[in-house]
């Protein structure tokens, strides 16, 4: 018998934003389905944390770059667990800081495949189900690169800018059908051990200390914002917002 709880699907369920948002939705009565590319032990820890707290969760390793991987996941969840009421696309596409001459065609295309084509595939598989039911939400984590292209960020900026425009076009088509599409610009560093933490390695703790109290984005606090977005009255939907620590200068004011 399929689970009667509404389902929350996360693509990119790491220990930062993805995992914390999954925990928040599970605490709110959803069955959380967490998918990530690697680290089966880390994925299982997140699932166990949710279950130990009285929630319901499932985990799956998923390479979103493979053909049909996203599409098959959506159909499997809809069939075997239940209707997906809300979903979070939380995959990054950062390939590092590279000059134009150091950005190969392959690297540039990889950014597009992860940041733009992958959420398009998720939308293609999932939004028709939501539209048929007349309800649902698709939350898309984004980055400053979606609104500002910096030197060395050719692949990332082009791909995230495409992600932003994709979300706008999806919203234009599906909002009148009852599906809420929200684009969230994360405009600052996130306290995520398996992304920023891996990048900074041994200096991660020192970096956080240098930012001071509340000087780095808390993914648990972000999760509350995502929960709110998914449950806004449809008379007052937010399509785009940006999040940063109070100490950071906003992207639109940073010269």
């Amino acid at each position: 018998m399929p689970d009667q709880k509404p389902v929350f699907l996360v693509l990119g369920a790491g220990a930062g934003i993805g995992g914390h948002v999954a925990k928040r939705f599970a605490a709110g009565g959803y069955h959380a389905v967490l998918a990530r590319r690697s680290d089966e032990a880390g994925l299982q820890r997140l699932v166990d944390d949710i279950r130990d707290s009285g929630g319901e969760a499932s985990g799956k390793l998923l390479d979103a770059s493979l053909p049909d991987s996203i599409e098959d996941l959506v159909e499997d969840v809809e069939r075997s667990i239940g209707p997906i009421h809300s979903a979070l696309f939380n995959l990054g596409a950062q390939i590092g800081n590279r000059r134009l001459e150091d950005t190969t065609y392959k690297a540039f295309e990889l950014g597009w495949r992860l940041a733009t084509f992958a959420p398009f595939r998720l939308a293609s598989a999932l939004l028709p189900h939501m539209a048929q039911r007349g309800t649902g939400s698709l939350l898309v984590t984004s980055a400053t690169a979606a609104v500002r292209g910096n030197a060395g960020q050719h692949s990332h900026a082009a791909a995230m800018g495409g992600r932003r425009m994709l979300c706008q076009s999806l919203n234009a088509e599906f909002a009148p059908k009852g599906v809420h599409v929200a684009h969230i610009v994360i405009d600052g560093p996130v306290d995520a051990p398996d992304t920023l933490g891996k990048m900074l390695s041994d200096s991660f703790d020192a970096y956080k200390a240098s930012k001071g109290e509340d000087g780095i984005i808390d993914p648990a606090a972000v999760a509350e914002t995502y929960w709110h977005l998914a449950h806004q009255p449809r008379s007052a939907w937010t399509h785009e917002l940006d999040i940063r620590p109070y100490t950071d200068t906003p992207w639109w004011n940073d010269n």
Side-chain angles (χ1 to χ4, degrees):
M1 172 77 93
D3 196 322
Q4 295 303 303
K5 288 189 173 184
V7 175
F8 178 63
L9 172 65
V10 185
L11 268 64
I17 290 175
H20 279 84
V21 178
K23 291 178 182 179
R24 177 64 182 89
F25 274 73
Y30 285 71
H31 182 123
V33 178
L34 294 79
R36 60 191 288 176
R37 184 180 63 84
S38 60
D39 188 7
E40 186 171 8
L43 176 62
Q44 190 59 49
R45 280 195 298 272
L46 289 171
V47 171
D48 289 344
D49 284 348
I50 290 172
R51 291 174 177 171
D52 290 345
S53 298
E56 296 187 12
S58 306
K60 183 176 179 61
L61 291 180
L62 176 87
D63 186 344
S65 68
L66 295 178
D68 299 323
S69 58
I70 295 173
E71 297 82 352
D72 290 347
L73 175 64
V74 169
E75 292 309 312
D76 180 58
V77 171
E78 286 271 335
R79 181 179 62 255
S80 62
I81 300 178
I84 299 169
H85 177 272
S86 297
L88 167 59
F89 186 88
N90 192 58
L91 296 179
Q94 178 59 263
I95 64 167
N97 197 52
R98 304 188 186 191
R99 297 177 300 173
L100 179 62
E101 62 195 72
D102 298 322
T103 305
T104 65
Y105 288 0
K106 182 178 181 180
F108 185 88
E109 184 182 10
L110 177 62
W112 171 79
R113 288 195 173 278
L114 291 174
T116 310
F117 187 41
F120 173 79
R121 290 169 54 200
L122 175 62
S124 297
L126 178 58
L127 295 197
H129 289 294
M130 291 181 170
Q132 186 176 35
R133 294 189 284 263
T135 187
S137 62
L138 173 60
L139 311 175
V140 181
T141 301
S142 193
T144 312
V147 289
R148 186 184 67 196
N150 286 333
Q153 293 292 302
H154 312 295
S155 172
H156 193 226
M160 299 304 279
R163 178 180 291 193
R164 185 186 189 211
M165 291 298 100
L166 171 64
C167 288
Q168 287 191 14
S169 65
L170 291 172
N171 179 69
E173 180 173 348
F174 284 92
K177 300 176 182 179
V179 180
H180 185 187
V181 179
H183 178 257
I184 303 101
V185 176
I186 302 298
D187 186 32
V190 179
D191 188 357
D194 53 5
T195 49
L196 183 61
K198 283 185 177 179
M199 186 187 309
L200 296 178
S201 189
D202 293 339
S203 62
F204 185 42
D205 288 339
Y207 172 78
K208 289 196 293 183
S210 72
K211 302 294 284 186
E213 186 178 2
D214 297 328
I216 186 170
I217 296 171
D218 178 1
V222 171
E224 293 297 332
T225 296
Y226 281 53
W227 171 265
H228 170 69
L229 286 171
H231 298 90
Q232 286 180 315
R234 62 182 183 178
S235 64
W237 274 353
T238 298
H239 170 66
E240 183 172 75
L241 57 76
D242 47 273
I243 295 173
R244 71 189 62 80
Y246 77 107
T247 53
D248 281 10
T249 303
W251 68 265
W252 36 264
N253 231 4
D254 187 356
N255 296 316

